[in-house]
Amino acid sequence: MEKSLVIRNLHVNVAEEDKEILRGLDLELERGKVHAIMGPNGSGKSTLSYALAGHPGYEVTEGEVLFEGENILELGPDERAQRGIFLAFQYPMAIPGVSVQNFLRTAINSIRRARGEQDIRVPEFRRVLNEKMDLLRVDRGFASRYLNEGFSGGEKKRAEILQLAMLDPKLAILDETDSGLDIDALRVVSNGVNALRSPERTFLIITHYQRILNYVKPDYVHVLVDGRIVTSGGPELALELESKGYDWVRQEFAVPEAV
Amino acid sequence: MEATSVQPTIRGIGREAVTAVSEGAGEPEWMREKRLRAWGVFEATPMPRPTDEEWRRTDIRGLKLEAFEVPAQPGGDFHPETSTDHRSGFVQIVDGYVVETELDEDLAARGVVLASLEDAASRYPELVRKYLGSVVPAEYSKFAALAEALGKGVFVYVPKEVQVEFPIQVSSTMTRGGIAVFPRTLVVAEPYSNVTFIEQMYSDDLDQESLSVGVVEAITGEGANVRYVNIQEWGHHVWHFLVEKHQIERDSQENSLNIGLGGKFAKSNVETALVGQGASCEMLGLYFCDEEQRYDYHTLQDHVAPHCFSDLLYKGVLRDRARAVFSGLIKVRPGSQKTDAYQTNRNLLLSDNARADSIPNLEIEANDVKCSHGASVGPVDPDQLFYLMARGLSKQDATRMIVDGFFEPLTSRIPLEGVREKLQAAIDQKME
């Protein structure tokens, strides 16, 4: 089994609050598989996604993270993206005055240049962009709009998946992409994710709810409670969690209540 | 050319220079009188002091007017403005001298005038006499008086109902350090006419300080539509003073854009007086200060008539140890009911040592108005930065993208593509 990502004994503090959120997290992601992480509010889900993407506000105090065999903890967020890590944000930022297409082309070229490749040619970029927008049922006019500015919740999430499709990462982390989506939007986003599954691409879907997993079938489910993965299993674990609730996990796996 | 008839002697800023400038241009007597009168106002007006309210945050004690020479002729070695844009007219100014004037023949046949102000004073005395100094009199300030006394520049006249299809561009450059220029622009758009005017000032960075003291007067007649763009890209050795004032009449529409990138120091007073009811104006500003640059903007939205609309947006980026002051006033005169006036100033700081002060003011003497103002000064949002970096952009590229986006609502308003591209290149260079 080939590993895409290996996390060992990861401890992360939120720098501003000087509070330990991840407390010795271990996790291995198999290349080309869809892994889901489920956990209650405050368990450290978003902290994990930010720490993996290299957010400066999250301080790793212990442990290691190997991506494709390379320790990435010393790398900046841009270098991690250039190596193929993509985070779909729970709350994507608006960048006023910057169009979706201008942003996407700059991002693609930043990644290409870091890999010593040529810039994408404009006709090719247009063709791929149109293809991916069609795939995600995004109106073509979307490309000229300012990034995330005035976007509805559903549009923001679709824009994130469009970025995922365009940047073609090896590891895609989806941080609560399903939250706040109505059923139609959830279906569109899920179909997009399914269409982007490949043996070369690993997914880490972080979610509070089992709902998205009805549409994107995970290969593995991991349960995050109080900063640690307490149990892992197959897709059936998600259903069990949904019916029994997170209290069941705490009791079953003897996790002390968070202080 | 008139300039060649003058002996190229060195002279400083003084009464003698005023007479020489007027004689060199072969101006009529009344124009010389006007200059000498302004010189009198200049002499009678004290230099601004740090205790003056308008100058509290900007110190010009380092400015030595006597150090500058008034050029007796244009330097021969200059970078001409080259462009492939469609233009209705073009003027090249070198060291204060108009060296080239070009105007679309059809427009000329329909009575449009594009000429040096000195020529216009002889050829169109009734127009120039009527309008020159009518919007910005010498008494406006010491610098306005100086510009009236020594000013040379451009006169644009658009007759009633004439539509000027493409922009008219004026490019002004300085070839040497140690000189002083006094660019003077007069734009008169008669009722129901339409014109777009772009004025650029540019030079290399030179060692020796130079001075530019300018006045722009733009009159938008009833129902007319004027777009005016001023781009200041002097070298970092130039002291720049500008009074730019627009007077807009009933039911007219005026859009101004003031861009500041160059200079060592820039003091700009940008004003619009809405004097006829139903007039509407948009006042935009963009500045990017780096190194030790000092900018000071004073803006005024002067609502003299009822049912007028004004919307001001000035955006600045500062880096290194640069400093900018923005002070904006919305003034609603008695009886100017149903005024709709907005003012916004936003500043983005790219370094801890850069500083911007934003001072919005309202002075309202009518009771049925809608006015608002907003100001902000702050660093680049770290969450925006992280978002872009998480997509593979380096910190510098991400910052550049945020800055470009910040300026986009302003740069997109520049009506000539070539000018827009050069401006973008200048902004990019400042980001290096």
Side-chain angles (χ1 to χ4, degrees), chain A residues 26-29 35-37 219-224 228-238 240 249 253:
Chain A
D26 294 293
L27 181 67
E28 296 196 345
L29 302 185
H35 293 253
I37 288 188
D219 297 299
Y220 301 99
V221 174
H222 312 272
V223 180
L224 176 63
R228 294 187 193 94
I229 300 293
V230 295
T231 184
S232 299
E236 71 288 345
L237 181 56
E240 196 171 3
V249 179
F253 298 95

Side-chain angles (χ1 to χ4, degrees), chain B residues 87-113:
Chain B
R87 299 181 299 203
S88 289
F90 174 66
V91 176
Q92 175 76 54
I93 300 176
V94 178
D95 297 337
Y97 289 84
V98 171
V99 297
E100 187 190 338
T101 309
E102 230 179 71
L103 177 67
D104 179 271
E105 283 174 17
D106 284 349
L107 289 173
R110 285 154 69 198
V112 174
V113 176

Side-chain angles (χ1 to χ4, degrees), chain B residues 326-337:
Chain B
F326 172 89
S327 173
L329 173 63
I330 294 174
K331 188 169 186 163
V332 181
R333 308 256 183 172
S336 298
Q337 302 296 12

